[in-house]
């Protein structure tokens, strides 16, 4: 299962975190992936200077995205679901990748 953690507190909330969460929820439902994608409200992802922030994990790696806006949500979701291969539209939002082990 793909988990998407969206920071929705403090500076992330002030900079659109709730809108980003809502867009992930809307798109997952619209695309029929509610069972494959879990959207989680995060307290803090430790990437405050890149607010608002999102972390996507597939169980093997954690991908941290910052300076998020609703324009890149669909491409990030499709990329992590394997529906598109090109990350160009949101590569500038990628802050770091960690191994989840």
């Amino acid at each position: 299962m793909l988990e998407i953690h969206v920071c929705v507190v403090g500076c992330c909330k002030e900079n659109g975190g709730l809108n980003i969460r809502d867009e992930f929820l809307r798109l997952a439902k619209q695309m029929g992936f509610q069972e494959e994608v879990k959207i989680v409200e995060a307290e803090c992802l430790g990437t405050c200077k890149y607010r608002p922030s999102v972390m996507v994990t597939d169980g093997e790696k954690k991908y941290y995205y910052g300076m998020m806006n609703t324009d890149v949500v669909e491409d990030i979701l499709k990329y992590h679901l394997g529906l598109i291969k090109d990350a160009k539209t949101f590569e500038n939002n990628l802050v770091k990748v960690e191994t989840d082990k």
Side-chain angles (χ1 to χ4, degrees):
M1 173 176 277
L2 191 67
E3 285 190 15
I4 301 172
H5 298 252
V6 182
C7 182
V8 295
V9 298
C11 57
C12 285
K13 181 179 180 179
E14 294 167 6
N15 287 278
L18 293 172
N19 294 335
I20 292 163
R21 179 210 54 199
D22 292 347
E23 186 68 359
F24 273 114
L25 288 168
R26 184 187 73 76
L27 287 169
K29 183 177 182 179
Q30 176 184 312
M31 295 165 61
F33 286 105
Q34 306 95 302
E35 301 299 318
E36 292 86 354
V37 178
K38 181 178 180 181
I39 312 296
V40 179
E41 290 186 3
E43 291 286 319
C44 182
L45 298 172
T47 53
C48 296
K49 72 178 183 177
Y50 302 106
R51 66 188 177 265
S53 301
V54 169
M55 187 269 291
V56 179
T57 182
D58 57 11
E60 293 180 20
K61 292 184 178 178
K62 294 179 180 176
Y63 299 84
Y64 290 83
Y65 296 96
M67 299 166 285
M68 288 290 299
N69 61 64
T70 55
D71 294 340
V72 297
V73 168
E74 184 172 359
D75 284 346
I76 288 174
L77 183 58
K78 285 181 176 179
Y79 178 80
H80 286 284
L81 287 169
L83 302 176
I84 61 172
K85 302 287 185 212
D86 187 6
K88 270 204 176 306
T89 58
F90 58 87
E91 66 187 358
N92 291 333
N93 298 89
L94 184 63
V95 174
K96 65 180 177 176
V97 178
E98 295 179 345
T99 303
D100 196 22
K101 295 200 185 226

